[in-house]
């Protein structure tokens, strides 16, 4: 369908004219309208425009006068130069100047003869307010450039043409000229020209209209309107006109063409015809300072533009979205501030968005909604039940006529899903942006409902990310779709932790089902981070009965910044956990190994629990070796690394068993190393463990302590009172030859049995001699180095003492400038002398800051 872009309104009716005259041309300047007739009259009217209800435009014309030029030829062209108060009139091939108001010829008789046609330069090369530039086509195959003043036409330049020019238009230095058979662009400053295209004058009238800077519209062959730039190229598609054109003009964003029966209106955006206005006997058509007039032989009409908003609404009504938006962007916004226009344009974008939305063009709809800053509630309200139950929003009736998406989807489940998928993407895109600002509750509530319905993995993310979901409304929705875990998260987000835990415990207990629920560990994590300690204790039993080892994390993984309360004191927790052995062990491990608490009762308690666990496994019928080894390893580690438990208590329990390794550790804690080593050697026969015992128990002690432990071990190996002493010869020799061991050689030689051969001890003796020689040489080197350093120090002292230091009453401290009252003073190598108390650093001069020695 076409768009009503202009209305035809009478401007000057036939009764305003003299009888038996025909209108040949018209010109308008301000409120002045001039008519040229076939009988050589120029008629002057004053025309006034007013708007009457309901928004219609009316014209009232009053004749001001007329002038007969006495040439008995039709007036061919009229052009007004308002700055000069002159009218240029072409009649009988003569161009003359008349006064705009009294139509009298200018004194001096300024005129040009032999003129075929002329035009004004709408983009003059010379910017003078007291002259205009015109281009004149003569019969002599010459185009001339003139500067016109109030009383003169000053010839500027000639441009030769191969044929007479029948029509022309001027923009800056560029003349677009129609010759007898073709069009050309001529630069009158350089003389360069560009041939455009031919035309047949029998079928195509040579019409030219300047439409913008250095761009012209020409009537071409096959009733085409061709857009041509000054460079001779076309940057727009052509316009398809009707035949028998009389005149063309341009009023942004439309091109208008006058034929014998119609006025047609084409858009510059897509070059398509938008409107056809019947008009019989059209003679001339023009745009004059923003106003359009068209004339028949006896009447003049105004083409009044329909307000651009009405045109846009008409295009939107025809669902021509792109065309409507383009028109709105480029329309004349007379009387509108930038802010008001933007508000109006946003409204148009929103309407266009709903049209695209209804057509299923979701990407375009989304862009238009965002650019138009749509109140997102307008979109959400189309979807049944997605608005918050507490919302009082009322949708706008002027944006669209959509009842709901069921109407658009025609109750098709597949189509409804497409519309809901679009809403999800759109809401996700605007969430947290300016388009969603102020509508957090509406956006998040709608998203939650859509996620719940689709069982989306984004549901939990939405709830925990500072959502604005309406609690009451969303609870019902989540229960409806069995999204119980999300319901718990929603309760927690709104601070109702008890209801949240009730839901989660029901899921974990099997009363409710929800595949998205992470499991018991999630409840444990929630309780571990819950500041309501009363509520925590309410669920501790429930958790520990299901998993002691993980359940104790409620206490071990609490926030480090949490303030200490009586209910969360370690003693309180330990007392409570007695019914749960694994949990109490895990909690004590946490206190000792992670929090590093150094309390005897915690260490003793954990050691006793470790021991009880080992003894329980030992007494069982079929203990699992791996489990027993692991338990004993934990016990040994505890006994070895801790020094805070009650050793005698543990030892009393261990001595009654065959746990010799543990017993050895305990003897070590009591400094009864010989007992410990005898257990390892005689009971366990674990010689490596015995050596390791010496290394471990000597760590951090002075070197002699290590020698003493190895000496004890060697003594156990070589004890002649042990009935199986022969079996310990090999480990004894191995110990002597070990690189880790350390001995007092004299004591070792006294212990070694007389019957041992030198060969048996050769490796030990060689290593001992090498170490002794090495120590001797190292000591000698150190002594020599010390001697050399001593000599250097003496030499420097002598060098310093060579220079005398004279101290008298006139000598002052270099730092405080006071006299010396005591016999002691400080002299720096650079000669600076100070009081002892003024010398803060003996290596740095207090005056110059020079560093004398880096050693402290």
């Amino acid at each position: 369908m076409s768009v009503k872009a202009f209305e035809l309104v009478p401007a000057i009716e036939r009764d305003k004219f003299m009888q038996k005259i025909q209108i040949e041309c018209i010109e308008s300047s301000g409120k002045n309208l001039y008519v040229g007739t076939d009988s050589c009259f120029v008629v002057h009217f004053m025309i006034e425009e007013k708007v009457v209800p309901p928004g219609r435009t009316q014209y009232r014309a009053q004749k001001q006068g007329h002038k007969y030029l006495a040439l008995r030829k039709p007036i061919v062209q009229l052009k007004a130069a308002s700055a000069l108060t002159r009218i240029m009139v072409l009649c009988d091939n003569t161009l003359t100047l008349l006064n705009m108001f009294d139509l009298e010829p200018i004194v001096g008789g300024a005129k040009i003869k032999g003129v075929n046609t002329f035009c004004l330069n709408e983009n003059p090369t010379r910017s003078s307010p007291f002259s205009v530039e015109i281009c004149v086509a003569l019969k002599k195959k010459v185009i001339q450039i003139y500067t016109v003043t109030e009383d003169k036409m000053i010839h500027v330049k000639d441009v030769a043409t191969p044929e007479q020019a029948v029509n022309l238009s001027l923009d800056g230095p560029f003349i677009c000229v129609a010759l007898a058979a073709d069009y050309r662009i001529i630069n009158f400053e350089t003389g360069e020209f560009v041939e455009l295209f031919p035309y047949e004058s029998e079928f195509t009238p040579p019409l030219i209209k300047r439409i913008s800077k250095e761009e012209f519209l020409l009537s071409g062959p096959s009733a085409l309107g061709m857009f041509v730039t000054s460079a001779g190229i076309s940057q727009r598609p052509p316009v398809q006109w009707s035949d028998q054109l009389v005149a063309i003009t341009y009023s942004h964003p439309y091109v208008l063409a006058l034929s014998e029966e119609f006025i047609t209106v084409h858009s510059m955006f897509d070059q398509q015809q938008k409107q056809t206005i019947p008009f019989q006997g059209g003679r001339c058509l023009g745009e004059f300072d923003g106003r359009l007039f068209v004339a028949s032989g006896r009447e003049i009409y105004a083409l009044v533009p329909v307000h651009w908003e009405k045109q846009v609404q008409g295009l939107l009504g025809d669902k021509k979205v792109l065309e409507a938006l383009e028109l709105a962007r480029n329309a004349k916004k007379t009387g509108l501030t930038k802010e008001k226009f933007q508000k109006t344009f946003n409204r148009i974008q929103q309407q266009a968005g709903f049209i695209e939305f209804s057509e299923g063009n979701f990407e375009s709809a989304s862009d238009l909604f965002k650019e138009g800053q749509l109140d997102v509630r307008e979109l959400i309200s189309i979807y049944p039940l997605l608005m918050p139950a507490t919302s009082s929003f009322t949708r706008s009736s002027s944006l669209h006529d959509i009842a709901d998406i069921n109407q658009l989807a025609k109750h098709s489940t597949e189509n409804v899903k497409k519309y809901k998928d679009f809403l999800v993407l759109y809401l996700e895109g605007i969430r947290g942006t300016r388009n969603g600002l102020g509508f957090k509750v509406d956006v998040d509530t709608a998203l939650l409902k859509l996620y719940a319905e689709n069982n989306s993995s984004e549901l939990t993310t939405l709830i925990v990310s500072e959502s604005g979901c309406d609690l009451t409304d969303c609870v019902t929705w989540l229960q409806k779709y069995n999204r119980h875990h999300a319901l718990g998260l929603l309760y927690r987000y709104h601070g109702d932790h008890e209801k949240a835990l009730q839901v989660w415990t029901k899921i974990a207990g099997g009363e409710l089902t929800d595949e998205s629920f992470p499991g018991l560990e999630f409840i444990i994590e929630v309780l571990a981070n819950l500041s309501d300690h009363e509520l925590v204790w309410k669920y501790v039993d429930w958790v520990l009965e299901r998993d002691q080892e993980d359940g104790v994390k409620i206490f071990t993984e609490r926030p480090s910044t949490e303030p200490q309360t009586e209910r969360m004191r370690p003693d309180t927790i330990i007392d409570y956990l007695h019914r749960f052995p694994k949990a109490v062990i895990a909690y004590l491990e946490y206190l000792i190994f992670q929090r590093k608490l150094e309390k005897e009762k915690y260490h003793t308690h954990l050691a006793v629990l470790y021991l009880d666990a080992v003894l329980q496994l030992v007494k069982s019928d079929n203990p699992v070796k791996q489990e027993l080894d692991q338990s004993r390893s934990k016990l040994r580690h505890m006994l070895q690394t801790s020094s805070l438990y009650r050793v005698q208590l543990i030892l009393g329990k261990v001595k009654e068993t065959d746990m010799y390794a543990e017993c050895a550790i305990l003897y070590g804690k009591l400094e009864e190393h010989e007992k410990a080593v005898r257990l390892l050697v005689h009971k366990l026969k674990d010689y490596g463990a015995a050596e390791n015992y010496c290394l471990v128990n000597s760590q951090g002690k002075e070197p002699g302590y290590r020698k003493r432990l190895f000496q004890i071990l060697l003594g156990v190996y070589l004890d002649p009172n042990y009935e199986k002493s022969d079996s310990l010869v090999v480990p004894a020799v191995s110990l002597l030859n070990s690189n880790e061991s350390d001995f007092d050689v004299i004591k070792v030689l006294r212990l070694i049995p007389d019957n041992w051969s030198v060969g048996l001890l050769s490796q030990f003796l060689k290593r001992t001699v090498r170490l002794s020689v090495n120590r001797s040489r190292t000591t000698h080197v150190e002594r020599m180095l010390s001697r050399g350093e001593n000599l250097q120090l003496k030499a420097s002292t002598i060098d310093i003492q060579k220079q005398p230091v004279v101290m008298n009453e006139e000598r002052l401290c270099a730092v405080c400038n006071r006299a010396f009252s005591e016999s002691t003073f400080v002299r720096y190598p650079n000669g600076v002398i100070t009081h002892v108390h003024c010398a803060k650093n003996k290596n740095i001069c207090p005056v110059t800051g020079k560093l004398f020695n880096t050693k402290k």
Side-chain angles (χ1 to χ4, degrees):
M1 293 179 65
S2 60
V3 175
K4 188 176 182 181
F6 297 94
E7 291 181 331
L8 197 63
V9 178
I12 303 176
E13 298 182 358
R14 64 177 62 211
D15 58 3
K16 299 287 184 180
F17 292 99
M18 296 175 288
Q19 296 295 323
K20 297 182 181 180
I21 68 167
Q22 292 288 320
I23 298 172
E24 291 291 330
C25 58
I26 58 175
E27 172 69 351
S28 177
S29 176
K31 293 183 179 181
N32 301 288
L33 191 145
Y34 303 91
V35 180
T37 70
D38 61 342
S39 53
C40 206
F41 278 94
V42 177
V43 186
H44 177 202
F45 290 93
M46 186 67 70
I47 188 163
E48 292 190 4
E49 176 183 332
K50 65 178 180 177
V51 179
V52 297
R56 294 182 57 197
T57 302
Q58 289 185 350
Y59 290 90
R60 187 172 68 86
Q62 185 175 356
K63 183 177 177 182
Q64 303 295 305
H66 63 270
K67 179 68 177 178
Y68 178 62
L69 299 186
L71 296 175
R72 297 182 182 180
K73 297 284 184 177
I75 305 296
V76 178
Q77 275 183 276
L78 293 172
K79 291 293 180 183
S82 57
L84 308 177
T85 65
R86 299 291 181 263
I87 291 289
M88 286 170 275
V89 181
L90 178 60
C91 180
D92 193 22
N93 301 113
T94 302
L95 182 61
T96 57
L97 284 178
L98 303 181
N99 186 288
M100 278 185 66
F101 302 113
D102 58 15
L103 303 181
E104 290 299 322
I106 300 306
V107 177
K111 62 177 62 177
I112 306 171
K113 294 184 178 181
V115 177
N116 278 342
T117 185
F118 76 100
C119 68
L120 288 175
N121 192 345
E122 297 178 49
N123 180 27
T125 57
R126 298 176 179 84
S127 56
S128 171
F130 306 108
S131 66
V132 295
E133 200 169 55
I134 66 172
C135 181
V136 177
L138 302 180
K139 291 183 178 182
K140 301 176 181 179
K141 300 181 182 179
V142 174
I143 295 175
Q144 293 182 330
I145 306 299
Y146 284 86
T147 297
V148 180
T149 63
E150 289 184 353
D151 55 357
K152 294 180 182 179
M153 297 184 186
I154 303 169
H155 179 238
V156 176
K157 193 165 190 175
D158 287 349
V159 179
T161 58
E163 300 171 354
Q164 287 186 9
V166 293
N167 199 359
L168 48 74
S169 182
L170 183 60
D171 180 87
F174 299 102
I175 307 169
C176 183
V177 58
L179 302 178
D182 68 345
Y183 290 101
R184 298 188 182 191
I185 296 285
I186 301 173
N187 186 326
F188 71 76
E189 290 182 345
T190 64
E192 296 176 353
F193 69 90
V194 178
E195 294 184 358
L196 300 178
F197 54 86
Y199 70 95
E200 296 182 18
S201 57
E202 296 178 6
F203 307 103
T204 304
L207 304 177
I208 305 174
K209 178 63 183 177
R210 175 188 180 272
I211 61 170
S212 64
K213 184 179 180 181
E214 299 184 9
E215 187 174 14
F216 304 91
L217 175 61
L218 317 177
S219 59
S222 303
L224 291 176
M226 307 294 291
F227 296 94
V228 180
T229 67
S230 59
I233 59 175
S234 179
Q235 296 177 330
R236 308 175 197 261
V239 176
Q240 183 63 62
W241 281 324
S242 57
D243 295 329
Q244 300 177 333
L245 284 186
V246 175
I248 59 175
T249 193
Y250 170 70
S251 178
H252 183 77
Y254 296 111
V255 171
L256 294 89
L258 175 66
S259 66
E260 293 181 358
E261 296 182 351
F262 301 102
I263 301 170
T264 57
V265 181
H266 291 74
S267 171
M268 284 283 288
F269 305 133
D270 60 6
Q271 290 71 48
Q272 298 301 308
Q273 184 172 320
K274 303 301 178 183
Q275 186 180 7
T276 301
I277 304 172
F279 192 80
Q280 296 288 332
R283 304 297 297 274
C284 52
L285 169 69
E287 188 269 343
F288 309 98
D289 298 330
R291 295 193 296 179
L292 292 169
F293 291 105
V294 59
S296 64
R298 297 283 295 165
E299 295 172 313
I300 299 176
Y301 289 83
L303 286 165
V304 179
V306 175
H307 194 276
W308 66 270
E309 288 188 60
K310 289 184 179 180
Q311 295 184 51
V312 168
Q313 293 303 322
L315 290 168
L316 291 176
D318 294 336
K319 298 184 178 181
K320 296 181 178 180
V321 170
L322 294 178
E323 198 171 332
L325 292 172
E326 192 69 26
L327 175 60
R329 286 190 190 96
N330 295 279
K332 293 180 180 178
K333 300 137 184 123
T334 308
L336 288 179
T337 63
K338 184 178 180 181
E339 292 76 16
K340 191 172 181 180
F341 168 74
Q342 190 60 50
K343 186 176 180 180
T344 303
F345 186 63
N346 286 350
R347 189 79 173 175
I348 292 168
Q349 287 179 307
Q350 293 168 17
Q351 290 176 287
F354 277 108
I355 293 171
E356 296 285 25
F357 175 75
S358 63
E359 295 291 315
N361 301 323
F362 296 127
E363 187 174 349
S364 298
S366 176
D367 292 341
L368 288 167
F369 287 151
K370 291 175 183 176
E371 292 171 12
Q373 300 178 30
L374 175 72
D375 181 336
V376 70
R377 296 174 297 180
E378 295 282 0
L379 181 60
I380 298 173
S381 62
I382 298 174
Y383 293 77
L385 303 177
L386 289 193
M387 286 292 290
T390 55
S391 175
S392 58
F393 173 74
T394 303
R395 70 168 70 167
S396 171
S397 59
S398 61
L399 283 180
H400 59 83
D401 56 359
I402 303 169
D404 57 37
I405 58 164
N406 293 320
Q407 172 199 346
L408 295 178
K410 300 178 182 178
H411 301 281
S412 163
T413 305
E414 183 180 351
N415 290 339
V416 168
K417 185 179 184 304
K418 289 180 181 178
Y419 278 102
K420 287 185 176 180
D421 289 345
F422 162 74
L423 183 61
V424 168
L425 291 173
Y426 181 75
L427 294 180
E428 288 175 342
I430 68 166
R431 190 169 182 256
T433 68
R434 67 171 185 170
N435 293 97
L437 194 64
F439 309 115
K440 188 174 183 63
V441 173
D442 306 276
V443 170
D444 288 358
T445 300
L447 271 176
L448 182 141
K449 292 179 178 181
L450 290 166
Y451 286 156
E453 185 178 341
N454 298 334
N455 195 18
S456 171
S457 60
E458 297 296 325
L459 177 59
T460 55
T461 305
L462 170 70
I463 293 173
V464 300
S465 62
E466 299 184 5
S467 69
C469 301
D470 181 75
L471 179 61
T472 306
D473 195 12
C474 292
V475 165
T476 305
W477 203 273
L478 292 171
Q479 289 173 337
K480 175 183 176 182
Y481 289 99
N482 297 320
R483 312 295 178 227
H484 302 298
H485 176 49
L487 176 60
L489 291 172
L490 186 64
Y491 277 134
R492 183 177 70 165
Y493 182 77
H494 285 273
D496 197 340
H497 295 91
E498 186 162 9
K499 283 187 178 179
L501 287 165
Q502 287 173 1
V503 172
W504 289 325
T505 52
K506 286 181 180 179
I507 300 173
E511 295 179 49
L512 299 174
T513 57
D514 191 335
E515 293 180 357
S516 66
F517 180 61
L520 181 63
E521 62 274 11
F522 178 78
I523 298 177
I524 293 169
E525 181 185 351
V526 170
L527 291 171
N529 290 279
L530 191 59
S531 59
D532 185 348
H533 295 167
E534 294 297 329
L535 188 57
V536 172
W537 282 106
K538 187 176 178 180
Y539 287 92
V540 166
D541 265 14
W542 183 89
V543 173
L544 291 174
E545 286 170 359
R546 284 159 176 78
D547 192 327
Q548 292 187 38
E549 293 179 349
D550 280 343
V552 79
K553 293 178 182 177
I554 294 172
F555 306 109
T556 61
E557 295 186 358
R558 303 200 68 76
S560 59
T561 57
E562 182 181 54
Q564 190 71 38
T565 65
E566 183 64 27
R567 297 303 305 272
M568 286 295 166
R569 284 180 58 247
D571 289 349
T572 304
I573 296 170
I574 291 170
D575 290 343
Y576 185 85
L577 294 178
H578 277 147
R579 294 189 297 115
F580 306 99
K582 293 182 179 179
V584 74
I585 288 175
Y587 186 67
L588 286 168
E589 289 174 340
Y590 159 74
L591 293 178
I592 294 170
F593 299 124
Q594 290 188 38
R595 291 186 57 183
K596 309 293 185 184
L597 295 186
E598 296 183 350
K599 283 193 175 183
E600 176 270 326
K601 63 179 179 180
Y602 297 155
H603 287 248
T604 301
H605 194 169
L606 181 58
V608 169
L609 289 175
Y610 278 162
L611 180 58
D612 289 345
V614 172
L615 294 176
Q616 190 175 354
L617 286 171
V618 170
K619 291 176 182 177
S620 62
D621 296 334
N622 295 304
V624 179
K625 184 178 184 305
Q626 184 178 357
E627 187 177 353
L628 180 60
D629 290 345
Q630 187 177 359
S631 297
R632 290 190 67 179
S633 176
K634 290 173 69 175
L635 174 60
R636 287 195 294 269
H637 178 264
M638 174 67 189
L639 297 178
Q640 185 69 59
T641 56
S642 174
S643 300
L644 298 172
Y645 57 88
R646 293 166 60 189
V647 179
Q648 293 289 2
L649 174 65
I650 306 300
L651 182 59
K653 290 176 175 288
V654 174
K655 284 169 68 175
E656 298 173 0
T657 67
D658 58 354
M659 298 168 60
Y660 303 120
E662 290 79 359
C663 205
I665 294 172
L666 293 168
Y667 279 130
K669 292 292 181 179
L670 296 173
E671 295 287 328
E672 297 181 12
H673 299 298
E674 187 171 350
K675 290 182 179 181
V677 172
R678 286 188 183 278
L679 285 175
L680 296 172
V681 174
H682 295 163
K683 295 294 185 181
L684 294 178
K685 295 182 171 44
D686 190 343
Y687 312 123
E691 290 185 28
N692 187 61
Y693 174 89
C694 297
L695 293 170
V696 170
N697 285 276
S698 62
Q699 284 181 353
K701 307 287 180 67
E702 49 91 19
Y705 196 90
R706 183 173 179 179
K707 288 183 179 181
R708 187 163 69 87
L709 290 183
F710 278 107
Q711 200 74 30
I712 291 171
L713 177 57
L714 183 61
V716 170
Y717 282 153
L718 302 179
D719 184 5
N721 297 322
Y722 182 57
E723 65 257 13
K724 298 180 180 179
S725 58
D726 292 343
S727 63
L728 298 179
V729 173
V730 173
V733 173
S734 177
L735 177 64
L736 290 171
N737 294 331
S738 171
N739 291 326
E740 298 290 342
S741 60
D742 195 3
F743 294 101
D744 184 329
V745 179
I746 303 300
K747 291 181 180 181
V748 169
L749 293 176
R750 289 174 183 169
L751 278 175
I752 292 174
D754 296 336
N755 60 348
W756 281 22
S757 66
V758 175
L760 190 62
L761 296 171
S762 60
Q763 186 175 344
F764 168 71
L765 294 173
K766 288 177 183 178
R767 184 165 64 88
T768 302
V769 170
R770 281 199 300 270
L771 286 173
S772 178
V773 171
N774 181 62
R775 288 194 190 102
S776 175
R777 290 174 177 173
T778 302
T779 303
H780 181 71
V781 170
E782 289 175 351
R783 186 170 64 251
M784 292 298 104
L785 288 173
S786 297
R787 181 179 295 176
E789 187 177 1
N790 184 262
L791 288 173
Q792 287 179 348
L793 183 61
K794 285 182 178 179
S796 62
T797 302
I798 292 169
D799 186 56
I800 292 171
Q801 292 176 346
K802 276 200 277 186
Q803 300 177 5
V805 178
V806 179
M807 299 296 293
N808 52 37
E809 295 178 354
E810 296 179 356
R811 170 75 75 173
L812 300 177
C813 174
V815 175
C816 65
N817 287 326
R818 293 180 180 177
F820 291 89
S821 58
E822 297 178 1
S823 60
T824 58
F825 59 89
V826 175
R827 180 186 183 278
Y828 286 90
N830 60 353
V832 172
I833 298 174
T834 71
H835 289 113
V836 174
H837 61 268
C838 290
K840 303 296 183 183
N841 190 323
K842 66 180 182 180
N843 294 316
I844 301 176
C845 175
V847 177
T848 65
K850 183 177 180 180
L851 179 66
F852 300 110
N853 191 355
T854 58
K855 294 182 180 180
K856 293 186 179 180

